[in-house]
Amino acid sequence: MNTFYFIAFLSIFFSILVISAKSPVHSILYLILTFFTFTIHYILLNAQFLAIVNFIVYMGAILVLFLYTLMLINLNKEAEPVKSNLVKLAAVIGGGCFLITIVASLKLLNVSPGVSLQNPGLGLVKNLGKVLFNEFLLPFEVSSILLLSAMVGAVLLATKEPKSAA
Amino acid sequence: MQSLTNTMQAVPLNNYILLSAIIFSIGVIGVLIRRNAIVIFMSVELMLNAVNLLLAAFSVYRGDATGQVFVFFIMALAAAEVAIGLAIIVMIYRNTNSIDINVLNRLKW
Amino acid sequence: MDKYIWLIPLLPLAGFIINGIGRNSLSKNTIGFIASLLVFASFALSVGAFLQIKSTGLPINVTVFDWFAVDNFKVPFSFLVDQLSSIMLLIITGVGFLIHLYSIGYMHDDNGFGKFFAYLNLFVFFMLLLVMGSNYLIMFIGWEGVGLCSYLLIGFWYTNPSYADAAKKAFVMNRIGDLGFLIGIFLIFTYFGSITYADVFSKAAGMHSKDAPFVLITLMLFVGAVGKSAQLPLFTWLPDAMAGPTPVSALIHAATMVTAGIYMIARSNILFTMAPDTMEVIAIVGLVTATFAALIALTQTDIKKVLAYSTVSQLGYMFLGLGVGAYTGAFFHVLTHAFFKALLFLGAGSVIHAVSGEQDMRNMGGLKGKLPITFITMLVGTIAISGIPPFAGFFSKDEILAHAFMHSTTFYVVGVITAMFTSFYMFRMLYLTFYGKFRGTTEQEHHLHESPSNMTIPLIILAILSAVGGFIGVPESLGGHHELEHFLAPVFERSTKIMGEQTLPKNTEWVLMAVSVLGAIAALGYAYSKYVKKADIPVAETEERPALVSLSYHKFYIDELYDTLIRKPLDALSVFLYKVVDLLGIDDFINGLGKGTIEASKGLRLLQTGNVGSYIFMMIIGIIAILVYSFISIHNIK
Amino acid sequence: MTVSILLFLPVVAALAVLLFKNEAAKHAALFFAVVEFAIALIFLGRFVPDASTQFGVDLPWIPVLGVYFNAGIDGISMVMVLLTTLLVPLIILTTYQHQYKNAPVFYALILFMQAGLLVVFTALDGFLFYVGWEAALIPIYFICALWGGENRIRITLKFFIYTFAGSLFMLVGIIYLYLQTPAKTYDLHEFYSLSLDAHHQSFVFWAFFLAFAIKMPVFPFHTWQPDTYTEAPSAGTMMLSGIMLKMGIYGVIRWLIPNAPLGFLNWQALAIILSIIGIVYASIIAFKQTDGKRLVAYSSIAHVGLIAAGIFSWNSLGLQGAMIQMLSHGINIVGMFFIWDIISRRLNTRDISQLGGIAKVAPQFAIVFLIIVLGTVALPLTNGFIGEFLLLNGIFHAQIWLSAIAGLTIIFGAVYMLRMYKNVMQGETNALTLTFTDIHGSEKLVLGIICILIIGIGVYPQPILHISAAAVDNLVRSVTIKIITAGKY
Amino acid sequence: MNTLILISIIPIVLLYLGLYKAKKALLPVSIIGLIVALGLAVAQWTTPDTAQPTFHGMLLFNNFSIAFSAITICSTILILLLSKGYFESISNHIAEYYAIILFSLAGIVVMVSYYNLTMLFIGIEIMSVSLYILAGIKKNDFASNEAALKYFLMGAFSTGFLLFGITLIYGASGSFNLEAIRNYAVTTPHLDPIFYTGIVLIIVGLCFKVGAAPFHFWTPDVYEGSPTLITAFMSTVVKTAGFAAFLRLFSACFSTVSDFWAPALVIIAIITLFIGNITALYQQSFKRMLAYSSISHAGYLLFAIVALGAGSANSILVYATAYSIASIIAFGALILVKQHSDSDSFESFNGLSARNPFLALVLTIAMLSLAGIPLTAGFIGKFYMFSGALTHYQGWLVIIAVINAIISIFYYFRVIIAMYFHTAERTEVVVPAYYKFVLGFSALVTIIIGIYPAFISKLI
C-alpha cells in the first residue's frame, strides 16, 4: 500500500515536472519517467501485459518519436517563449478548479472498497488475448483502419511537396 | 509478483480515481500553460495515460479484462495520433519555423 | 303615388349621371335643361306626394331593397314620406328647381358648367335621401352625401387653394358632427333594437325617460346637428363655405342642407322630448349661436359673409325653437328661412354677377337703380328675415320667440335682441349695397346690368313666397288657423302629448309680437340713419377699428382660436408622433434590437481569439460550469 | 371540383410564366390571373352560403405527423378568395405601363404569392396554414427587394425578419396546439374542440397574436410597414396592403380567437386598445406626411386598426364589418397606391408639397382619385362605409367609449385624405404638374373597375355580406358558447 | 456490416490505383464503390426493425444505422462529385485524399452503428484522425496548417475527456456494452456518482465533436482554414455522424437518467444557439459564417437529444439531411465563387444572380433551407425540432430557438442580398457539369423534402 502512495507521489511529481520544465527535451525526459511510474502501477495492479505494452509502446515508440521530432525541428532553438505569468496563474487556477470539481463530483470522500484482485490471471496475455480476439475482434480489426489512415496521413503530411520548393 | 499485488489489495479504488484525476488535471494544466505544440501534445498524452491507469484499476477492481483491452485501443489511438500530430507539427514548422501555438492565430473572430 | 316615390330621389341622380358623363359633350343649354327639368319632375312628384298625404293623412312607406343586414341589424333601403318630409321635399325640390334655373344664368360663363349641374343634381339626390329615408342610416347616407356635395361645390373653383381649404374644412367639421350622429345611431340601435323611425319612436314613446339614456342619445344626435347646421362650436365652416358659387350658398348653405339638423331633431322629436336636459342644451346652444353669429354679422363687409352669419344666426333661432319645444315653430322657420335666405343669396348672387364678381360691400352702393328687380326682391327678403309683419319671417320667428318666452324670459330677451341685430345687419347690407353711390371701379360701373330673366324669375318667385309664405302658419292669436301646425300635428303628436299643450294668453302674445316688431323696426331705423343718412362706410381692411368692432369684424378670432387650440397642436403632435415616437421611439427600438444583436456579434466574436490556449481555457471553464451545474441540479432532483 | 384547383393553378401559372419573354409574360400572367378569378367566380356560383365548408380537399401530406392537405372554403374564406383572385389581376394590370426587368420572374413571384395567399385563406390544417403563410412571404420579399426603391435592401430585410419573427411564434403556437390534440393532428377543427385552461390559452393567444399583429400591423408592431410600402414597387405595395395584410386579419378570425377563446378573453381589452391606439396614432401621423405612399401607408395602419378593433370586439357586426371592410380596403388601397404609382411614374416624385392642381390637367384622374378618396374616408354609398359602420357598431357593442375614439377615424381620415387630395389635385398647377397627362389605357381600365367596385359594393353590399353571414354567425356563436361554458366553472 | 467492409476496402483500392497512377479512375471507383455500399446498407432495411447486435454486441446495424449510413454516404458522394479537379490543384497525392476521406467515412459508419463504447471510441478516432489530416492537406497554406494543428490539439484534448468519461462509465457499470450500461442505469437503485461524472465528461467529448458551445471554438477556425471541400465534409457528414452517435448513446444508455443530464444539455443547446447565431452576424467571410451557422445548427440538433423520445432519431435524420444538403450547396457555390474572386467574403457573391442565375438560385434555396423557411427541407427539420422540444419542455426553450431562428435570417439573407441586390462587375461564373448536377440535385431534394416530406418523415 505504501508502495502505491510512493509511486503515486512520483507519478504526480514527474508529471508536474513534465509541464513545468523549461526545455521541451526535459519535458520529454520527465514524461518518460512518469510513464515508467505508470508501468509500475500496472504491475502493482497485476496487469503485467499492460505494463509491458505500456513500456514498449509509450516509452519505446511514442516518446522516442517525440524526442526525435523535437530534435529534428528544435535542436538549435532557444526554449519556447513562455506564456505570461498571469496566464499561467489563471491556467493553474483553472486546472485546479477542474480538479476540485471533478473530484468533488466523484464524491471521493466516501469510503470505497479496496481494489481486490478477483482473478489473478486477469492481466495475463492469455487472458487478454482471449478477450481481444473474441469479443473485441471487430474493434481490433477496425482499429487497423485507424492506423492505416494515420500512416497514410503522416506520410502525406510530413513529406515535402515537390512543388512547394518553388 | 503475487505478494506485491497482494499489498495492493488495501488500496482503495478511490485513490486510483484520485490519482488519475490529479494526473489528468496536471495534463490539462499543461495544455493550458504551455505554448510549445509538442509539449502541449505531451500533456495530452499525460491525460490519456491517466485514463489508462484508471481503466486498468477499474478492470482489476471489476475482475473484468475488457478494461485492459480498452487500454490497448487507447494506445493504438495514441500511436496514430502521435504519428499524425507530429507530422502536422513538422509540416507547420517547415512553413513557419515555429511550433509556438500563439503564432498560429491568423484564423480568428 | 307610392309606386313612384322612389323616382323623387332617382331623377336628380339620373341628372347627375347624365350630366356627369356628358359634362363635356353636351351643350350648356342641354345640361341646364336636363338638370332643371329633372328636379322639376321631382318637384312635381313631391307635390303629388304632398297632396296625397294632405288628403289621406297617412305617411307613404316604401322599401326599395334591403341595403344590408347583419345579424339582427337590418337596414332596408326604404323611404318614408310623411307630413314632415313632404314639406321638406317641397322645399328641396321647389327651391332647388328655382336655384337650378337661376344657375343656368349665373354659371353661364363658367367652364365647369356641366360639372356644376351634375354636383347640384347630386346634392338634390342626397338631400332627398336625407329627408326621405325611413331610418337613421338612410338619413345618414344623405347626411354625409350632402356633406360631400357641399365639399365639392365649395371647392368648385378648386384652383384657388383657400377655396379648396374651405371645402375641406366644411367636410371635416361636418364629419365631427357625423361621428356624433353615428354614435347616436349606435346608441339607438342598442336601446331600441332598430334604427327604423317607426320602431324607434313607438318604442321610445312607451318608455320612461329613465329607461334608456335618452340624454346621451339625443346629445349625440345633436352633435350631428351642430356640425351640419353650423352651430357653436362647429359653425366656422359655413362662412368659409361662401367660397362656392352663390347658387350653392343659396341652396346648400342656406335653404336646405344646413337645416338638416333641424329636420333630424324634428324627426326624432320624441327622443328629444324624453330628454329635457338635452332640450335645454339645444336651446342654449341655439341662442348663443344666434347671438354670436349676429354679432359677427354686424360688422362684416363681404355681402355673402353677412348672409352666411345671418344663416348661422337663423339656424340658431331654429335650434332655440327646438330646444324650447316649439318643433312646429322651428320647422316653420326652416320653411320661411328657405324662402327668404335663398332669395337673399340669389339676390346677392345677382349683385355679385352685376359687379363682376365683387363681393365686398365697401365697393358697392347705389345699385338700387341699376338692379331694380334684384333690389326689390332683396328688400322683400330683408324685411322677411327682419321679422316685420306680414312677411314670412315674422310669423315663424314670432312663434319661436313666444315659445322661448314660455320657457324662460331670458331666452326671450336675448332672442329679441338678436332679432334686432338681425334687422340691423340685414338692412345695413341692403343700404350699403343699394343706396348711396357706386364705390367700385369705373370698369365695374360700366358693366353694371340687371341679371337675365332666368335669374330674376326665381328671385321674383322666391320674393313672393317670402312675402306670403308666412300665412300658412298664422297663429291663432292673430285670428289665423296655423295650417302648418295642424298639418304637422301627427308628426309631433307623441311629443305634444308628453309636453302638454302650451299656450300663452293672447294679450301676452300681442305684447311679445309688438316688442319684437318694434325692436326690428328700431334697428332698421338705426341702420338707415347710420348707412344712408350718414353714409357711413365700413373702414378699409388696414385701418384701426374700435376694439369691440374689431372683435366682431374678426369673427371673435374663433378661427384663429381653433387654429391654435386644435389644428396646430394636432399638426405638432403629428410631427412629434412621427419623428419622435414612431421613428426614434418604436422604430429605433426595433432597429435597436437588430443593432444590439450586431453589436453583440461584434463583441462575441472576439471570444474567438484564434489562440488555442484561450480556447482550451474556456472549454475548461465550460466543463467546470457544467459539472457544477449538473451536480447542483441533481441535488435538487434527489 | 375542389379547392385544390384554385390553389395549384397559380403555382402552375407561376412556372408557366417563367417560360415567356418579357412582354408576353405580362400577358400570360394577366391571363392566368383572370382565369383564376373566373374559377373563383365559378366557385362562388356553386357556393352555398351556409356555415359549412365546401369544395373541401383532404389528402394525406405527412400523415405520421398528422399533417394533411386539408383545405376548403366557407363563407369567410370565400370572401378572402374573392378578394385575392380579384385583386391579383387588377394588380397585374396596374403594371402594364411598367417595364420591369426580368419581368417573367416578377410575374411568377406574384402568382406564386397568390398561391400562398390562397392557401392561407383556405387552409384547414395548421401546418398547411403556416406553410402558406410563409410561402406568401418569400415572393413578396423578393418582389420588394428586387424591384424596390433606394433603401429597399435594408428595409425589406427588416420587413422580412420582422414578419418572419412573428410567424415563428405562431408556428410555436400551432405546434403547441397540435401536441394537445388527442389524435395528434393539425386539423383546425380538432384545435377548435380542444379545451385548454385559460393560462395555456393565453400562451396560445400571444403566440398567434404576435404573428397577426405584426402582419396587419397593429400598433406598436407597425414600424416596418410605412417603410416597406414606400420602398416596395407599386405592385408589391398593392399585394402587401391589398391582400397580404388581410392574412393577419383573417388569421385572427380563423386561427386566433377560436383557438384560444379564453386567452382571448383575458387579453381582449388590451388587443382592442392597441388597435384603437393604432387608429388614432397612425391617423395623426398621416396628417403631416409629405410622401404620398407613406401617407397612404399610415392611413392603412389606421384602417386596419379599425378592422382589428372590430374583430376583437367579437360579435357578428364587427366580424361582418371586418369581412366586407377587408374586401373594401383591399380595393381602395390598391386604387390609392395605383394613384400614387401613376403620379410618381409621371412626375418622378411622391412629395405632396411639390404637387398641386393636377385636377385641372387631368380631370378623369381627378374623378377616380376622388372616388377612391371617398371610399377610403368611408362615405356612405361607397364600399368603405358599410365596413366602417359595421365595425364601429361592433366595437360599440363591446366598448362604448372606445368606439367613440375609434370613430375618430372618420374625422381624421377625412382630414388627411382630403389634405392629400387638396395638395395633389387642387390649387394651381405648377411647372411640374403641368406636364401631367390624364389616365389612359390600362390605367383607365383598372381605376374604372376600382371605382365601379367602390360604388357598387357601397350601394349594394348585401350579396357580399350574405356570403360570409352564416359562417361568421356560426363562428361567433361557437366561440361565445365556449367562453360562456368556461365561465361557469 | 458489408457496407463497413466495402467502405474500408475502397480506400485501399484507391491507394493502389494511386500507386499505379490511375488518376482518372479514382473518382469513378470511389463513387461506384460508395453507391454499392449504399445499396448494401439499404438492402439490410427491415420493417419492422428486427436487427440484433452482432459481433459480440459490438455493432447494431439497425434501421437507425442504415438511415444514417445512407445519408452520410449520400452526402459523401455529393461532396466527392464536387471534388473533380479540386484536389489536383492542391497536390499530386489525390489517391490519398480520396482514401482518407473514405477512411473517415468508414469511421463514421462505425459511429452510427456502434453498440459498444469501444466501437464508438474507435469510430470517432478513425474519423477524427482522418480529419486532422484532411484539414491540413493544403500543406503550403498557412491557414490550412493552422486549422490542422488547432483541430488536432483540441481534438486530442477533448478525446481525453471522452475517454475519461467512458472510463468512469465503465468503472460504474463494469462494461462497455450499451445494453449492459443501460441495464446498470435501469436496475441499480443508487447509481455510483462516477457514473454521473462519466456522463458529463462524455457530453463534453461529444459536444466537442459536434461543435456545441462552449466546446465549439475549434469550429470556425478549422472550417475557415481547411480546404473548402473538406469543410463541406466536416460540416455535413461529420456533424451528422456526431449527432447520430450522440443520440444512440444517450437514447440507449442514459435515457433513464435524463433528469440529470438534460438540464445541462439544454443550457449547452441554448448557449450554442446564441453563440452560433450572434457571432455569425458580423462575419465578413461566407465560409466563416457557415462555420458559425453550423454551430447554431448543432444547437438545434441538440434539441432532439434534449427532448429524447421516440421521434428523436427521425428528427435528427431529417434535420441533418436538410442541413447537409443545403450546406453542400453552399460550399459548392463557395468553391466556384472563390475560384473566380479568390475570396470567400460576402462581397465575392455580389451580383451572382447576373453572373450565374442558376448558381444564385440554388444558393438561395440553400440559404432559405438553412434559415428554415417553409417549402424547403430546413423548415421540416426545424419543425421537427420545435415539435420535439415543445413536447418535452415548456415553451421558453422554443421561444429561445425562435429568437435564434430570427437572428439567423439576417446572415443567411446577407448572401441572398449580395447575390441579387448588389451588383458587381465581374465575369460570369462557369458551373461545371458535375457541379451543376450536385447543386441542382441538392436543391431539388431540398425542395422535395420541403414540399412532400412524407417519405423521410418516419424512416426510423
Side-chain angles (χ1 to χ4, degrees), chain E residues 68 72 108 111-112 127 210 236-246:
Chain E
F68 278 101
T72 45
I108 282 164
M111 275 172 78
V112 300
M127 180 193 83
V210 299
T236 58
V237 182
V238 171
K239 189 152 281 198
T240 310
F243 272 102
F246 208 145

Side-chain angles (χ1 to χ4, degrees), chain C residues 222 231 262 265 278-291 312-327 329-331 333 396-405 407-416 418-419:
Chain C
F222 177 58
Q231 295 298 290
I262 292 101
I265 292 177
T278 313
M279 297 286 272
E280 204 65 30
V281 172
I282 294 174
I284 292 169
V285 169
L287 192 64
V288 172
T289 310
T291 317
V312 175
S313 177
Q314 295 304 312
L315 291 167
Y317 258 112
M318 297 172 206
F319 278 101
L320 173 65
L322 293 172
V324 297
Y327 295 121
F331 193 70
H333 201 56
S396 53
K397 198 178 272 184
D398 185 66
E399 192 173 341
I400 291 171
L401 286 173
H403 275 82
F405 181 79
H407 195 82
S408 144
T409 327
T410 325
F411 285 7
Y412 173 76
V413 173
V414 178
V416 169
T418 307

